[in-house]
Amino acid sequence: MRKWKAEHLTPGPTPRSTMTDGIMSRHHMEIPINSNVDTGTLPEMTALNTAKLQWSLDEKVGYSRDTRDLQQVMVSGPNLNETSIVSGGYGGTAEGIIPTSSIKGSNMNHSASSSSLADDANRGVAVEKLEYVKKWGLNTYKCTKQMISERFGRGSRTVDLELEAQIEVLRDTKRKYENMLRLARALTNHFYSMVQTQHALGDTFADLSQKSPELRDEFGYNAETQKLLCKNGETLLGAVNFFVSSINTLVNKTMEDTLQTIKLYENARLEFDAYRADLEELSLGPRDAVTMARIDAAQLQFQVHKDKYEQLRADVTIKLKFLEENKVKVMHKQLLLFHNAISAYFAGNQQQLEQTLQQFNIKLKPPGSDKPSWLEEQ
């Protein structure tokens, strides 16, 4: 009997096969062949054995390659750029597979577009600020140049004689009213001190009238007189405080508001003269294409500042007129109040003094109302 070797016909090991399966797959088994076998079939069996041997080698090579790939994955970890997100259950179609690279690309495109929009917005704000600073610097340069020229007598300025006279009268009036307000406040402070002294003196007289029986009547008369003077003094203080408050409103609010408008008018006048001088200077130069373009731009700026100057001049004229009317009305009332209150007090006419306060709707604060309450003192 002749024997020939053939490989085991089981398939080769898969990447998930165990080590035992791999060992057993490499064993051969002997198949006995009787002498009566047809030798004509030997070449066919030899070819079959050669194919089986080649298939076994391929399986072994694939197993080795899969083992190396598995070790590489275990060492380095999966590449997230090449992973996929599968929508659907196990065994679903490939239509639900979304590569993460596409998601990452879309996120990168979205963030890139957002950053580009933010950059464009920041660039627009920066350009706007730069343009504003440029205009402000040019305007300041021209106004400073015009101011120096006027100061040294080399430049001309626009003058409204009537309006300038009214403005000067207003400034002089404000200085005088501020002095009157300062003196009225000083009078109020001194008179308040005198009333407090009279109040303390009346209390002292009343106390001594109780402790000096032989001078009870004399101390009592003086105590009553000082209390009456103190009461009339508080009434007069109410009238004088009302006078001071009204003058303060007239000087520091009404007049100050008009003077603020005058400052705006004077700044507009300076800008108007600066751009007027710039336009005149350009008009005296050559008339080429570049100069004509600059002349047109200067003419436009000149017209803008001219309109602003004329508008503010009209505003100042109206405010001066209303201020004069308001000043006359307020001072007529306040001077009459001050005169009647002072005359009634020093004449000792308490009834006339109280009628004066009622005439001007002045309500006196009750004694001790200026002091903080016990809760505020805590």
Side-chain angles (χ1 to χ4, degrees):
M1 178 186 298
R2 291 180 298 179
K3 296 181 181 180
W4 60 280
K5 295 181 181 180
E7 291 181 354
H8 190 53
L9 299 180
T10 58
T14 61
R16 295 183 181 179
S17 298
T18 60
M19 185 62 69
T20 305
D21 295 338
I23 295 173
M24 293 183 65
S25 64
R26 288 192 293 269
H27 282 285
H28 299 79
M29 59 185 300
E30 297 181 354
I31 301 175
I33 300 175
N34 296 328
S35 59
N36 57 357
V37 176
D38 189 3
T39 58
T41 60
L42 289 178
E44 295 179 357
M45 295 185 65
T46 304
L48 178 61
N49 291 335
T50 304
K52 290 179 180 180
L53 180 61
Q54 184 65 31
W55 178 80
S56 177
L57 291 175
D58 292 341
E59 287 295 324
K60 292 178 181 181
V61 172
Y63 171 76
S64 301
R65 186 184 299 109
D66 292 341
T67 304
R68 287 195 302 270
D69 292 342
L70 180 60
Q71 291 176 355
Q72 182 179 0
V73 169
M74 294 178 63
V75 173
S76 61
N79 188 359
L80 296 181
N81 293 330
E82 298 177 357
T83 58
S84 303
I85 298 175
V86 180
S87 61
Y90 174 77
T93 60
E95 295 179 355
I97 300 177
I98 305 174
T100 57
S101 59
S102 62
I103 299 177
K104 182 177 179 181
S106 62
N107 292 335
M108 292 179 63
N109 293 333
H110 178 69
S111 57
S113 61
S114 301
S115 61
S116 63
L117 291 176
D119 292 341
D120 292 341
N122 295 333
R123 191 180 300 107
V125 173
V127 170
E128 183 179 354
K129 289 183 178 181
L130 182 61
E131 190 67 23
Y132 173 78
V133 172
K134 180 180 177 181
K135 291 181 179 179
W136 175 83
L138 182 61
N139 185 73
T140 303
Y141 166 74
K142 291 184 178 181
C143 292
T144 305
K145 179 181 177 181
Q146 176 67 22
M147 185 186 301
I148 295 175
S149 299
E150 293 177 2
R151 191 84 44 97
F152 288 95
R154 292 196 300 266
S156 60
R157 64 188 300 266
T158 303
V159 180
D160 190 335
L161 296 178
E162 182 179 359
L163 187 59
E164 293 290 339
Q166 294 178 5
I167 293 174
E168 189 60 33
V169 169
L170 173 60
R171 286 172 174 162
D172 184 64
T173 302
K174 186 174 184 292
R175 285 192 293 268
K176 293 179 179 179
Y177 273 55
E178 286 175 343
N179 186 46
M180 178 179 63
L181 179 62
R182 180 180 59 82
L183 294 175
R185 284 173 172 168
L187 175 63
T188 303
N189 293 331
H190 294 321
F191 196 77
Y192 176 79
S193 299
M194 187 184 74
V195 170
Q196 294 299 315
T197 304
Q198 288 175 342
H199 187 274
L201 188 59
D203 292 341
T204 303
F205 285 157
D207 184 62
L208 288 175
S209 67
Q210 299 293 330
K211 297 180 180 180
S212 302
E214 65 280 4
L215 297 174
R216 178 178 301 174
D217 295 337
E218 288 79 0
F219 279 125
Y221 296 151
N222 282 279
E224 292 296 329
T225 302
Q226 294 301 321
K227 289 181 180 180
L228 180 61
L229 290 174
C230 181
K231 182 180 179 181
N232 292 341
E234 290 176 351
T235 305
L236 179 62
L237 275 176
V240 175
N241 284 329
F242 186 77
F243 173 80
V244 170
S245 176
S246 300
I247 299 302
N248 179 67
T249 302
L250 178 64
V251 173
N252 294 322
K253 292 186 178 180
T254 309
M255 290 185 177
E256 186 64 28
D257 178 71
T258 305
L259 288 174
Q260 289 295 330
T261 307
I262 290 174
K263 289 181 180 179
L264 295 177
Y265 158 74
E266 292 176 343
N267 292 335
R269 196 275 311 163
L270 183 62
E271 291 178 352
F272 167 70
D273 285 337
Y275 282 91
R276 175 181 56 81
D278 186 39
L279 179 60
E280 292 176 354
E281 183 179 356
L282 289 174
S283 300
L284 297 176
R287 296 303 183 92
D288 53 1
V290 177
T291 306
M292 291 302 298
R294 294 179 59 186
I295 290 176
D296 293 339
Q299 181 68 36
L300 181 61
Q301 292 294 327
F302 167 75
Q303 188 63 38
V304 170
H305 288 86
K306 180 181 179 182
D307 295 340
K308 180 181 177 181
Y309 164 72
E310 292 178 351
Q311 180 63 42
L312 285 172
R313 182 175 62 180
D315 293 344
V316 170
T317 303
I318 294 174
K319 283 196 172 185
L320 286 174
K321 180 181 178 180
F322 287 153
L323 175 62
E324 186 64 24
E325 295 176 356
N326 188 32
K327 183 191 71 173
V328 172
K329 187 195 311 187
V330 170
M331 292 309 300
H332 175 75
K333 178 180 178 180
Q334 297 303 319
L335 290 174
L336 183 62
L337 166 66
F338 190 81
H339 175 266
N340 292 343
I342 292 292
S343 300
Y345 173 80
F346 284 101
N349 193 342
Q350 181 181 359
Q351 184 179 1
Q352 183 182 358
L353 184 59
E354 292 178 353
Q355 289 178 355
T356 300
L357 267 67
Q358 293 177 359
Q359 179 183 356
F360 293 95
N361 298 322
I362 300 174
K363 295 181 180 181
L364 296 178
K365 295 181 180 180
S369 60
D370 295 335
K371 297 181 181 180
S373 63
W374 65 271
L375 185 60
E376 294 175 345
E377 291 178 352
Q378 299 300 324

